[in-house]
Amino acid sequence: MKQTHIYIAVDSCSPRTSKKNYGYILECEVSGEAVTRDGYGQSEGSYHKAVLEALAAALERFTQRCEVTIHSENEFVLNMMELNLAKWSENGFLTAKGKPVANQEEWIRVWEASKNQIIHGAIGRHAYSGWLSGEIERRKEQNNV
């Protein structure tokens, strides 16, 4: 099974609702060489929502079953993927009190894109943290965001 990595960065970790810019890098080995693909976007919402949108966009690019390690500084999202995502899917993405989970739409996208993958989380800064942050800032300046 192919081993792949998703590296995620967001320009703001503020929990407040605001525009946030994100980027991700997909990395896998093809014929003995590391191959990367990147993607960028903008989210209106919390830090968690921006990370989930980046994650969903990255996962939706997969065309085959892989073992995926997700690298992010967002401990909450990675922990919820491991501890609650499958339970939420069985419960219609509702909390124990019967209310929709926060960022329900994004969690559903992540579930749909990840349910056939083997997922691992790696919390903290990663090899692409600095590069992604610089690229996000460069793109913001280019687009006057």
Side-chain angles (χ1 to χ4, degrees):
M1 181 173 294
K2 190 175 281 193
Q3 302 245 338
T4 60
H5 297 268
I6 298 173
Y7 300 90
I8 297 172
V10 178
D11 68 348
S12 169
C13 59
S14 169
R16 289 193 164 147
T17 297
S18 63
K19 282 187 183 173
K20 292 177 179 53
N21 295 277
Y22 63 80
Y24 65 84
I25 293 179
L26 301 177
E27 179 184 71
C28 68
E29 194 172 299
V30 176
S31 302
E33 289 191 35
V35 175
T36 62
R37 299 289 182 261
D38 57 353
Y40 303 89
Q42 190 174 75
S43 177
E44 180 73 36
S46 69
Y47 172 54
H48 299 321
K49 182 178 181 189
V51 170
L52 287 166
E53 286 184 15
L55 180 55
L59 287 166
E60 288 167 351
R61 293 181 71 166
F62 284 78
T63 59
Q64 62 186 12
R65 184 173 163 86
C66 297
E67 187 169 350
V68 183
T69 302
I70 301 163
H71 302 264
S72 173
E73 292 183 62
N74 191 316
E75 186 174 358
F76 173 80
V77 167
L78 294 180
N79 284 339
M80 290 303 101
M81 282 196 69
E82 182 180 332
L83 301 172
N84 288 338
L85 189 55
K87 293 176 197 173
W88 288 340
S89 74
E90 292 170 5
N91 196 29
F93 291 89
L94 301 175
T95 66
K97 294 182 180 180
K99 297 187 182 212
V101 296
N103 301 307
Q104 183 185 56
E105 185 177 313
E106 290 75 19
W107 281 115
I108 291 170
R109 278 183 66 201
V110 167
W111 171 253
E112 290 299 322
S114 69
K115 65 183 175 185
N116 294 320
Q117 310 297 346
I118 297 171
I119 303 288
H120 307 286
I123 300 165
R125 291 188 58 80
H126 48 73
Y128 292 102
S129 292
W131 187 87
L132 269 171
S133 294
E135 188 63 16
I136 290 167
E137 289 304 315
R138 186 185 72 74
R139 288 168 180 268
K140 283 171 36 180
E141 288 172 11
Q142 223 175 22
N143 297 321
N144 296 320
V145 176

